[in-house]
Amino acid sequence: MKKVYSILMLIMLVVSSVSGQESKVLTFKDDTYSYEKVFDMPGKSKDVIYESIKSWVIKNIKTGASSNYFDDKDKSIITTLPAITVSGNSVVEFKVTIEIKEGKYRLSAETFTFHSLDGIAKKLGDYSGLNAGKRAKQKVLDDVDDFITSMIGSIQSSIGAKKADW
């Protein structure tokens, strides 16, 4: 019985240490990190919002070759695939989608992929097989949080957005 109890305690310890990373900005659900927020832009047309955000993306988001998508026909979706350098010179890539309606837009970020210096690619938060301590893992998540927070602040200041319901 003591052996079974010890094994259960060990399993609980491992599970809590793996899921122990906390994000200030991202949501963690189904073993995946994501972000979504709606911004209200009262009195601004869909076209004005689209052109403002398109201009911001072109000036501020560094991506791989031609990984920005601008829906110029309907002016309702902008997609980009930023890559940011995180703690230890590793890289996190993710997908940002901005959906635009009259007077508001929704910004979502998903599919966060961590690329180690050894060339190993993992979902953000899954560091199995990597030699990294708990602090290093949290630092990567903090770096991504800081980037998302900075990106949102920059967009808001450049186009005057406020949080709203979609």
Side-chain angles (χ1 to χ4, degrees):
M1 186 65 169
K2 285 183 182 181
K3 195 173 191 178
V4 172
Y5 180 73
S6 296
I7 291 172
L8 287 174
M9 290 301 290
L10 181 62
I11 290 171
M12 288 174 54
L13 180 63
V14 168
V15 169
S16 69
S17 69
V18 169
S19 63
Q21 297 179 49
E22 294 194 23
S23 172
K24 299 172 273 186
V25 177
L26 303 176
T27 302
F28 188 74
K29 183 179 178 185
D30 299 329
D31 291 330
T32 304
Y33 284 99
S34 63
Y35 172 84
E36 183 175 299
K37 192 173 194 177
V38 175
F39 297 90
D40 192 17
M41 300 193 64
K44 293 198 178 182
S45 72
K46 182 178 177 181
D47 290 347
V48 167
I49 297 169
Y50 176 87
E51 293 302 327
S52 297
I53 294 174
K54 179 180 177 179
S55 176
W56 184 91
V57 167
I58 290 168
K59 290 178 188 173
N60 294 286
I61 299 292
K62 307 297 182 231
T63 66
S66 300
S67 60
N68 290 327
Y69 170 75
F70 301 105
D71 177 13
D72 285 323
K73 182 180 178 194
D74 293 331
K75 296 189 177 187
S76 61
I77 298 176
I78 295 173
T79 304
T80 187
L81 303 168
I84 60 169
T85 303
V86 294
S87 179
N89 294 324
S90 297
V91 173
V92 173
E93 295 177 320
F94 55 100
K95 179 181 178 182
V96 173
T97 303
I98 303 167
E99 299 169 89
I100 303 160
K101 291 184 177 181
E102 288 294 321
K104 65 176 100 179
Y105 69 93
R106 176 176 32 213
L107 186 145
S108 58
E110 60 189 2
T111 320
F112 289 86
T113 305
F114 173 81
H115 298 273
S116 73
L117 292 173
D118 301 331
I120 299 171
K122 299 263 189 181
K123 282 195 313 186
L124 183 63
D126 174 14
Y127 304 111
S128 57
L130 299 175
N131 187 17
K134 191 173 185 178
R135 284 186 185 171
K137 294 172 187 176
Q138 185 63 49
K139 177 72 172 121
V140 169
L141 191 57
D142 290 345
D143 288 348
V144 173
D145 276 341
D146 292 345
F147 179 83
I148 297 285
T149 301
S150 175
M151 179 179 72
I152 292 164
S154 180
I155 291 172
Q156 286 179 306
S157 67
S158 71
I159 62 175
K162 297 177 184 175
K163 186 179 177 196
D165 294 325
W166 188 248

